[in-house]
Every structure is written in structure tokens, then in C-alpha cells.
Amino acid sequence: MGILDKVKNFREEEDRLQWEGTFEEYLNLLKERKEVAQTAHSRVYNMIKSAGVTETDGGKSYNFFGEEIFGLEESIQRLVEEYFHPAAKRLDVRKRILLLMGPVSGGKSTIVTMLKRGLEQYSKTDEGAVYAIKGCPMHEDPLHLIPMHLRDDFYEEYGIRIEGNLSPLNAMRLEQEYDGQIENVLVKRIFFAEDKRVGIGTYTPSDPKSQDIADLTGSIDFSTIAEFGSESDPRAYRFDGELNKANRGIMEFQEMLKLDEKFLWLLLSLTQEGNFKAGRFALISADELIVAHTNETEYRSFISNKKNEALHSRIIVMPIPYNLKVHQEERIYEKMIKDSEMDHIHIAPHALRVAAIFSILTRLKDSKKQGVDLVKKMRLYDGENVEGFNRVNVEDLKKEFPDEGMNGIDPRYVINRISSAIIQKEVPAINALDVLRSLKDGLDQHASISNEDRERYLNFIGIARREYDDIAKKEVQKAFVYSYEESAKTLVDNYLDNVEAYCNKNKMRDLLTGEEMNPDEKLMRSIEEQIGVSENAKKAFREEILIRISAYARKGTRFDYNSHARLREAVEKKLFSDLKDIVKITTSSQTPDESQLKKINEVVASLINEYGYNSISANELLRYVGSLLNR
């Protein structure tokens, strides 16, 4: 289907969703679909919930945020369950301004943007449908037409609570256009759209001296005063402020704490009482979720000002720290690269991982708990198994510093340095060393980093380099072993024969001479020592292997090289240990002979086909590992 056909289909779908009828017909619709009358907070919560919730060991993961927000599952869970959910239930928390507070490039504005874009799409679904009085610039809730003295009766009949009063403009229209007959007032379905200023508003404060509250509440249209005769005539007023247009949906305040004081009090009236003052009118009702975001420095400055004390209790602060998980940090970089014009560049495996390791280390705080250094802490946070630690230990570590993750290197800095590495190298492929080198060079250009932090960060780059050294050697090890796969299978079979004889207290028989002999203890220990199996633990390890073989046999499945992860690791390490001299010679030889060249080509092919390298990065990896082994 071509793009114009898709546009045509989209237009036809929008036409199909249109609905218009009288208030009486709208009430009939309400009887069938009560959710149509939900509040703005309820609509946002149901939108998030409708995308699905995934239960994890650490809590809940809300799928709505899954494709854009990485590593902030706990913060998102707290945001949904401590704010959106109770607010949707009309609890008092909905009468608070939601303030997302965190470091730059931490995901605050992305969360708000997702909520806005999500509402636009949700309003086009049956569950998220929104209806308003036709011709109203504020998209007013049609239920405001129900007189105050009948609202208890309405609740008994429909089970829906009504909040808010009819706006001055619609009160006048009701009398003049409909002769007071509410059942004839026209209602239409609306669709949220930020660009059309329907149900979604955004306000960015300018210079405090030039901030005009009319940007939020609308203003008098002086050109119509001669026609209508008074500034207090609602027809002479432009209901085009951001608060007017965001009614029924969401209102975003960027850098809210930079607002003039009178703006903040206006917001408090709106959130606390559900109305605001505009022009020479009575209070105007509005139903909208107020969400703002700011950084920690401005927030600390705000709460230290005694003049703002009354505001503190009316703001719900949700900390949005940096991600602290290495694998999720990689996903952030992958997304940022995909969204840029760098996605044609080959980025070698583990290049983003070492950048993520560096970033996460800068965000962690040194634990006071014995035996926990930053690297162990990083591994635990990333879900890795670290000997001597369990999930309870991880939760204790997280509680040690509630503000952990509010400082450190931000993702944009890393992407900027990756971009610099690409430009400087002038080759359409970069590796982990290129990234680390660029990160190091960039520290001198980072104006906000103190000399003390710069020294710490240089140390973290050194740690990331050592982590990469281990990764690189293992990667080449796997590639070489892959080329020797038959050798690995033979070694496993030999080991298993000896283990079976050992555990059953049987003798082995030499295939050539037929002579009986004891199980080869030296062979078994040479493999087991590769993964740290001690002399005291060898019997238990071998019995575990034998039990696993029996379990496979009962299922009619053959136990092989890939059936036991630790055994496979041990065999690979043993093989690589035996092959290390070959690797050294092969990777470091300036003029490899024919057999060496064949082996290099096999390993390069393995790195390309099995591990995601291209020819440039594969050869660079081999040369680097060769230099490591020759040290």
C-alpha cells in the first residue's frame, strides 16, 4: 500500500469515528458505555493499563512505557501506583500538581511526551472516547449541563459523579441558542491533538518580566467589545489559553519552577478546586492533569524559599533518576542511534556495553556494606549472579541511597562522544576502544565536571577497559572454539565417560589395548578447575552432571556439549587454554603462513556470522586480543 493510500485510509477512519447528536442521545450513549464520562486522570490511568502490565521478580513493568523508557521500571511503577491509580479513583492525590524531578536527559520529558502522544491515540479508541459540547472552545464536559440540584438524582440513575459548573460562554449559549432546553444541546466526539490544541496543552516559561497569564487563561477580544457592549460578555473573550485548550486532557509545564508566583497559585487553584479565574467571569471549571518537570537543583532552590511553603504540600514530587542497569543503558544508546543519522555505521559488539558500564559507574554511590565495590554493585543491579549475594541484598543496596542515580554522566554525552568517534575515525565501523578513547577525550571538554569527578571518571574508564579486555578475550575464545567444535564435543564425551566411571566406581577400558584403568583424574580436574570447582566440590559437581545425564535419558534426549552451561564454559576455557599459543601466534604474526591464514579466516568468519562483527571490527578485535595475550 502506497503512502497516499494510507493517508486516504487514515482519513476514512477518522470520518468513521465522528459522532454528533443531542445531549439526550449522549445520555443514551452513557447508559451503554459509562467509561465515556471518566475524568482526565482516570483516562490517563486506563490508557496506561490498557497497554498491558508485565509481572517481574522486581515488581510490575508497564508496557505503555516499554519501547521508550528503559531501566526506570521502579520509578514508573511508583508513578502509576502512587499517583495515576489513586487519582483515577478520585482520591485526594488528583488535587496535586505532578512534578517529575530528575537530572538532565533522564527521561522526564520523554515520559510526558509519551503520555501526550498516547492520549492522542487513546481518544480514537472506544475505551478512550471523549465527547464535548459542540462549538465550545474549551471542549466542555456535556454533563455540566445537568443542574446542581439534580446531580444527586443523576448519580442514582447513572452511577456517575459530576464535578464542575457550566462555563459562562456555554451558560449564555444554552439560553440564547437552545432556549434553556439542555436535551437539545449538541454534543460531538472530539479527538485529542496537541497541534490542533485539543485536550493537550504545553507551556514553557519565558523571561519572568514578560510572562503573561493570558497565555494560560485566555484574554479579552477588544475588537468585539463594540459589538457585545461589555468586557464581561463571554462572547467578547478568547478562551484560547493553554489551560482552556488542555481541558479534559493533560497540561504540561516545562521548567515549572521558573514560573512567576501568580502562575503557580493559578495552577494550585486549578488542581485543588478544579477551576481557575479568567477575565471578569466567575470561576471556570476545568478537568485536566497538570504535569510538570524540573531538575533537582531548581527543586532544592524552590523548597528552600520560605515563600513557597504553602505550595509544597500541593505538589507530588516523583523522582526520575538515571537508569542504573547496564543492559538497559545499552538499549537507550541503541534507540538514540536508531533515531539519528548514525544508524548506517557499524558499531562493533560490546562497544555500547563498555560505554554503558562507564555511565552506570558514574551514577552509583559507594556502598558502606562490606564486600561490595562499585563493579559488584553494578553487576547486581544489572541482574547478574554474584557469589555471596541474593535479591534481598540487592534491595538493601537500593535502600541505602534513595537519591542514587540523580547524578552522573547523561546518555546524550555518550552519544555525542560516539558521534565524535565516528567522525574522527573516518571508517564506517567503530569498536569499544574507539568509544572509550572518545569518552576519555571528552572529559576535558565537559564544563560541568569538577577536577575531582574527572579523576573518578578516568578511573571508571579504566575499569570499563578492563571489563572489555575480559569480554574481548572470551569473544575470540568462543570464535576459536567454534572453529574447533569437533574437538570440544570429543573433549566433553571423554570427560563424561570418566565422570560416569568415577561416580559408579567403575574402571575405564583403553580402546586400543583393552587394558582396564582408573578414571583420568588429571583430565577431569583440568576441566573443572577452569570454572573454579574445588577439590572438595568435585564429587558433588560430577554427581550433578550424572543426574543431569539421567534426566535427559529419561526424556529420550541425548546430553551433549550444550546441555550444561557451566560444563560448556569449562570445556571452552580448557580448549582455549590449550589453544592460547596458537591464538597468540596466529593473531600477532605479521606474515602468517598458509595454515595460520586459514585459521584467521575461519575465526573472522565465525566472528562475522555468529557474533555480529563485520570484517573491519573482527580483524581489529583479533589484533587487540593478540596484543593482550602477548603482554
Side-chain angles (χ1 to χ4, degrees):
M1 185 184 292
I3 189 65
L4 292 179
D5 292 324
K6 291 180 180 178
V7 170
K8 182 182 176 183
N9 285 355
F10 177 76
R11 192 166 57 241
E12 289 173 351
E13 178 63 14
E14 284 206 322
D15 291 341
R16 186 188 67 79
L17 292 173
Q18 298 291 343
W19 184 93
E20 185 175 312
T22 63
F23 183 62
E24 184 176 2
E25 291 170 323
Y26 173 69
L27 290 182
N28 290 331
L29 188 67
L30 272 187
K31 285 184 177 178
E32 297 174 12
R33 294 164 51 206
K34 189 176 167 182
E35 71 275 5
V36 164
Q38 63 188 322
T39 63
H41 289 83
S42 177
R43 190 173 291 109
V44 170
Y45 173 68
N46 287 327
M47 170 191 72
I48 294 169
K49 200 172 66 168
S50 69
V53 183
T54 303
E55 297 282 348
T56 63
D57 292 338
K60 294 179 182 176
S61 176
Y62 287 88
N63 301 342
F64 177 82
F65 299 97
E67 296 302 314
E68 298 285 336
I69 302 292
F70 307 113
L72 297 181
E73 291 83 7
E74 291 173 9
S75 298
I76 294 293
Q77 183 176 346
R78 183 182 170 198
L79 175 63
V80 174
E81 296 179 4
E82 294 185 20
Y83 183 79
F84 289 129
H85 191 185
K89 298 295 184 184
R90 296 179 186 259
L91 294 173
D92 211 49
V93 70
R94 73 190 174 108
K95 297 181 179 180
R96 307 287 182 270
I97 295 171
L98 173 61
L99 179 62
L100 306 182
M101 187 266 291
V104 296
S105 192
K108 304 183 300 295
S109 57
T110 302
I111 290 171
V112 179
T113 299
M114 290 189 73
L115 293 174
K116 294 194 295 185
R117 296 294 86 80
L119 273 179
E120 290 180 345
Q121 295 303 314
Y122 193 59
S123 68
K124 295 175 183 175
T125 66
D126 290 342
E127 299 80 9
V130 190
Y131 295 82
I133 296 173
K134 186 180 180 183
C136 173
M138 284 185 60
H139 335 295
E140 187 165 8
D141 186 346
L143 294 183
H144 286 181
L145 291 162
I146 302 290
M148 280 288 179
H149 66 280
L150 293 177
R151 291 188 177 181
D152 287 342
D153 295 337
F154 181 84
Y155 178 71
E156 285 184 20
E157 185 177 347
Y158 287 83
I160 297 170
R161 297 188 187 279
I162 303 174
E163 296 178 352
N165 300 313
L166 198 60
S167 68
L169 179 62
N170 284 324
M172 177 179 281
R173 290 179 62 210
L174 176 62
E175 295 304 320
Q176 294 187 356
E177 296 178 26
Y178 298 100
D179 198 24
Q181 298 177 16
I182 65 171
E183 66 272 21
N184 294 330
V185 174
L186 290 177
V187 175
K188 69 174 292 186
R189 183 174 180 179
I190 61 170
F191 304 98
F192 289 162
E194 185 172 19
D195 58 346
K196 295 178 182 176
R197 303 188 73 209
V198 178
I200 298 175
T202 303
Y203 185 77
T204 304
S206 53
D207 186 326
K209 295 178 181 178
S210 61
Q211 288 179 15
D212 186 354
I213 205 161
D215 292 340
L216 292 179
T217 61
S219 59
I220 296 168
D221 186 351
F222 290 100
S223 66
T224 62
I225 291 177
E227 179 184 353
F228 299 119
S230 170
E231 291 181 12
S232 60
D233 190 310
R235 293 170 299 178
Y237 196 85
R238 294 194 190 98
F239 292 91
D240 61 354
E242 290 299 317
L243 292 179
N244 305 110
K245 294 300 183 180
N247 187 30
R248 314 292 302 286
I250 188 169
M251 177 71 202
E252 175 193 9
F253 281 87
Q254 299 174 353
E255 305 298 336
M256 185 192 81
L257 301 184
K258 291 179 181 176
L259 285 171
D260 187 84
E261 190 175 318
K262 63 178 182 287
F263 284 72
L264 292 173
W265 287 108
L266 176 75
L267 294 185
L268 289 176
S269 171
L270 176 57
T271 52
Q272 192 73 26
E273 307 299 334
N275 52 46
F276 64 92
K277 192 79 172 71
R280 300 181 180 184
F281 306 115
L283 291 167
I284 295 175
S285 297
D287 172 31
E288 48 199 271
L289 188 157
I290 306 293
V291 57
H293 41 94
T294 190
N295 60 54
E296 190 175 14
T297 303
E298 286 186 353
Y299 177 69
R300 299 298 172 205
S301 174
F302 172 77
I303 60 174
S304 65
N305 188 340
K306 293 287 184 183
K307 288 172 62 180
N308 297 325
E309 282 185 358
L311 301 171
H312 297 171
S313 63
R314 307 209 184 147
I315 296 175
I316 296 273
V317 180
M318 285 289 170
I320 307 294
Y322 284 133
N323 157 59
L324 296 176
K325 298 174 183 175
V326 172
H327 74 280
Q328 295 286 24
E329 189 74 6
E330 285 185 79
R331 293 183 69 192
I332 294 173
Y333 301 153
E334 287 167 0
K335 180 184 177 296
M336 294 174 82
I337 289 168
K338 185 179 178 182
D339 293 343
S340 71
E341 294 184 359
M342 294 191 295
D343 57 342
H344 65 288
I345 302 295
H346 173 77
I347 298 177
H350 314 299
L352 298 183
R353 180 171 181 78
V354 295
I357 288 171
F358 164 70
S359 297
I360 300 301
L361 287 172
T362 68
R363 300 169 189 171
L364 296 177
K365 293 191 174 185
D366 290 297
S367 175
K368 296 171 185 174
K369 297 184 184 296
Q370 190 172 1
V372 181
D373 59 23
L374 283 184
V375 174
K376 278 185 182 175
K377 193 176 190 181
M378 175 189 75
R379 294 189 195 285
L380 288 167
Y381 279 12
D382 205 36
E384 291 185 38
N385 291 321
V386 177
E387 192 173 348
F389 296 91
N390 55 34
R391 178 168 293 280
V392 175
N393 301 133
V394 177
E395 294 306 315
D396 288 343
L397 285 173
K398 289 178 179 177
K399 291 173 185 174
E400 193 176 6
F401 301 105
D403 63 339
E404 192 169 44
M406 299 300 278
N407 296 292
I409 290 292
D410 65 278
R412 286 191 193 127
Y413 170 79
V414 174
I415 290 299
N416 290 343
R417 297 316 304 166
I418 290 174
S419 303
S420 177
I422 290 169
I423 292 166
Q424 290 177 18
K425 197 171 182 186
E426 296 181 350
V427 174
I430 61 168
N431 59 39
L433 295 177
D434 297 322
V435 171
L436 287 175
R437 197 176 299 115
S438 186
L439 287 171
K440 181 180 178 182
D441 293 343
L443 292 178
D444 293 329
Q445 304 164 24
H446 204 301
S448 63
I449 295 178
S450 66
N451 288 332
E452 182 183 353
D453 282 342
R454 187 173 286 108
E455 288 303 313
R456 285 178 61 243
Y457 291 175
L458 285 171
N459 180 47
F460 295 149
I461 286 175
I463 292 173
R465 169 74 177 268
R466 290 192 291 275
E467 290 287 307
Y468 176 65
D469 288 353
D470 290 339
I471 291 169
K473 284 188 280 190
K474 286 178 182 175
E475 199 87 310
V476 173
Q477 167 188 316
K478 287 190 292 184
F480 263 84
V481 170
Y482 182 80
S483 301
Y484 282 87
E485 191 166 4
E486 288 305 316
S487 302
K489 289 177 180 176
T490 302
L491 185 58
V492 167
D493 289 342
N494 197 359
Y495 173 78
L496 294 177
D497 288 341
N498 280 277
V499 163
E500 192 171 357
Y502 170 86
C503 292
N504 294 328
K505 296 184 171 55
N506 292 334
K507 296 280 188 180
M508 298 282 294
R509 190 174 293 278
D510 191 297
L511 293 175
L512 293 176
T513 64
E515 179 185 356
E516 285 192 342
M517 54 188 181
N518 291 322
D520 191 341
E521 185 67 21
K522 185 177 179 182
L523 169 72
M524 290 186 286
R525 292 302 294 142
S526 71
I527 292 172
E528 292 158 357
E529 286 170 351
Q530 301 294 329
I531 51 171
V533 176
S534 67
E535 184 70 25
N536 292 333
K538 70 180 183 182
K539 186 173 184 293
F541 181 76
R542 293 170 189 176
E543 288 173 347
E544 179 200 330
I545 296 290
L546 201 61
I547 290 169
R548 186 75 65 90
I549 292 172
S550 300
Y552 271 71
R554 283 198 304 273
K555 295 175 184 175
T557 309
R558 186 177 181 277
F559 184 95
D560 64 16
Y561 168 62
N562 292 304
S563 299
H564 192 285
R566 291 192 73 206
L567 178 59
R568 183 177 68 244
E569 180 188 355
V571 168
E572 287 176 351
K573 284 184 174 179
K574 166 65 176 165
L575 268 179
F576 189 67
S577 176
D578 295 343
L579 293 169
K580 193 172 286 185
D581 289 338
I582 299 173
V583 176
K584 279 181 175 178
I585 296 167
T586 306
T587 55
S588 60
S589 176
Q590 296 294 322
T591 54
D593 60 31
E594 189 175 337
S595 65
Q596 291 171 345
L597 196 59
K598 181 183 177 185
K599 180 52 61 184
I600 288 174
N601 290 336
E602 286 178 0
V603 173
V604 167
S606 177
L607 289 169
I608 294 171
N609 297 329
E610 302 296 324
Y611 302 108
Y613 291 82
N614 69 359
S615 59
I616 295 172
S617 59
N619 280 289
E620 287 174 340
L621 176 70
L622 282 177
R623 285 195 294 273
Y624 181 64
V625 170
S627 70
L628 289 177
L629 295 175
N630 280 312
R631 287 176 189 173

